[in-house]
Amino acid sequence: MKYLDLFELNQKIEIMDVGAADINETPIYSSLINNKIANLNAFEGDERQIEKLKLKYKDSLKLFTEFLYDGSTQNLYLAAYPESGMTSLFKPNEKVLNFFNGFSRFGKIEKIEKIKTEKLDNISHLPPIDFAKLDIQGSELTVLKNGVKKLESCLAVQLEVSFVCLYENQPSFGEVDLWMRNNGYLPHTFLDVKKWSISPTIFNNNLRQPGNQLLESDIIYIKDPFKLEVLSDTQLKKFILISHYLFKSIDLSVYLILELEKRNVLNKDTFKKYITNFKKYY
């Protein structure tokens, strides 16, 4: 099929979402799924969330119920309020929760279960991944470290990172960022930066109205753009589609198109056609 009126791509993009619970948000990859450009490989071990995922994605969904981590047996701290998204393998830090308005409630634990975790690299029926999203309440870095082989061809990663860690022994943004840089990725953009109000001050009687304190963010990392020679033509085409549809990063898309022009895969000045017409493809 021809995409963006620029090139043919004869295979779908493989997306992995770890912690795929449908909690009042539209994933940035939705347009790729809706347009049948991508397959979704979703990891969600919380049984309370699975039916929603099946209803939402239907035949586009390949569901995995394994709890990804490092292959060990761990405590799973089940949040009393599933919509809070705070179920985690890490124990909530009560002192930190009390620092923020509302989080002592959001982080309330209903029960603790013992679970056997799996390494991402050991999930044999998972295809090579082109784009990965991880939002698993502190476990992101451990999953990445135990999934290097499965993510070898991954072109971009969306991670939830914490500036103030809500869980005990949770890796901070700095630790995650250093590992990503050391493993061939460059920070590209923040999708959002979440701030929160410090207890007991509440603005306009709304505990969700933030003050200045940074809490967490979703950040996009991309494969090192200074080493495009290691990427195949097909990977570059997928990278362009990911950049265009997921991040709306027109300048990155042009940069990648120019690489395909240099390889004589695309005609000269293809990037000009893209710049002129990019809005009509959303």
Side-chain angles (χ1 to χ4, degrees):
M1 183 180 291
K2 196 165 189 177
Y3 295 105
L4 304 178
D5 291 333
L6 300 180
F7 52 74
E8 298 283 341
L9 182 62
N10 297 320
Q11 57 181 258
K12 287 190 176 182
I13 293 169
E14 294 292 343
I15 294 171
M16 180 182 74
D17 189 340
V18 184
D22 183 16
I23 303 176
N24 299 321
E25 65 177 30
T26 300
I28 63 172
Y29 56 72
S30 290
S31 60
L32 286 183
I33 301 295
N34 294 338
N35 289 311
K36 307 296 183 183
I37 302 173
N39 298 316
L40 175 60
N41 303 274
F43 284 83
E44 182 52 61
D46 189 341
E47 293 180 357
R48 299 170 295 182
Q49 306 292 342
I50 288 174
E51 282 307 312
K52 290 190 218 175
L53 288 168
K54 289 180 178 178
L55 286 171
K56 185 172 183 178
Y57 294 111
K58 298 182 175 63
D59 58 352
S60 296
L61 175 68
K62 187 174 183 180
L63 184 65
F64 300 80
T65 57
E66 292 92 339
F67 283 93
L68 295 180
Y69 197 61
D70 63 359
S72 63
T73 297
Q74 293 286 326
N75 287 329
L76 177 67
Y77 297 87
L78 284 156
Y81 304 95
E83 66 276 9
S84 74
M86 290 194 66
T87 291
S88 177
L89 297 181
F90 288 79
K91 182 180 179 181
N93 188 322
E94 185 176 350
K95 188 172 184 179
V96 178
L97 296 184
N98 290 335
F99 180 69
F100 294 104
N101 285 307
F103 273 84
S104 58
R105 176 179 177 274
F106 302 153
K108 184 178 178 181
I109 299 303
E110 180 182 86
K111 60 180 178 178
I112 303 172
E113 296 180 353
K114 286 283 186 185
I115 61 164
K116 177 68 169 66
T117 68
E118 300 289 343
K119 295 181 179 181
L120 178 59
D121 276 340
N122 290 343
I123 308 297
S124 59
H125 48 302
L126 181 71
I129 298 301
D130 300 304
F131 173 76
K133 174 181 177 289
L134 292 85
D135 182 354
I136 38 178
Q137 305 305 303
S139 298
E140 292 85 359
L141 184 55
T142 299
V143 171
L144 290 168
K145 288 179 176 179
N146 289 277
V148 172
K149 292 180 182 177
K150 282 292 182 183
L151 297 175
E152 187 175 9
S153 61
C154 190
L155 301 165
V157 182
Q158 177 184 347
L159 296 173
E160 184 182 66
V161 294
S162 293
F163 304 111
V164 179
C165 296
L166 297 172
Y167 305 91
E168 295 179 5
N169 302 313
Q170 176 186 3
S172 68
F173 168 51
E175 295 172 80
V176 174
D177 182 68
L178 183 61
W179 191 89
M180 292 297 289
R181 290 172 183 268
N182 287 338
N183 284 272
Y185 291 91
L186 189 75
H188 178 60
T189 187
F190 285 108
L191 297 178
D192 59 46
V193 176
K194 183 186 288 185
K195 298 179 181 181
W196 208 267
S197 60
I198 298 170
S199 179
T201 304
I202 296 177
F203 300 99
N204 296 321
N205 206 31
N206 178 6
L207 65 83
R208 293 181 180 275
Q209 182 172 328
N212 279 332
Q213 178 58 53
L214 291 169
L215 175 57
E216 59 195 15
S217 179
D218 271 21
I219 185 173
I220 297 294
Y221 286 89
I222 59 172
K223 208 74 164 178
D224 192 338
F226 309 117
K227 297 179 180 179
L228 295 183
E229 67 276 4
V230 303
L231 301 181
S232 69
D233 295 346
T234 297
Q235 283 182 298
L236 281 171
K237 290 175 182 180
K238 290 181 176 181
F239 206 168
I240 291 164
L241 293 172
I242 289 168
S243 171
H244 176 88
Y245 284 104
L246 275 62
F247 321 143
K248 295 180 170 52
S249 293
I250 306 309
D251 47 354
L252 175 59
S253 298
V254 168
Y255 182 80
L256 300 170
I257 289 169
L258 286 170
E259 176 64 21
L260 287 179
E261 288 187 21
K262 291 176 187 176
R263 299 183 185 188
N264 295 317
V265 174
L266 296 179
N267 294 330
K268 185 179 178 182
D269 294 339
T270 298
F271 80 96
K272 292 181 181 178
K273 178 181 177 182
Y274 171 74
I275 290 174
T276 302
N277 296 310
F278 75 87
K279 287 185 179 179
K280 79 175 186 178
Y281 302 119
Y282 288 126

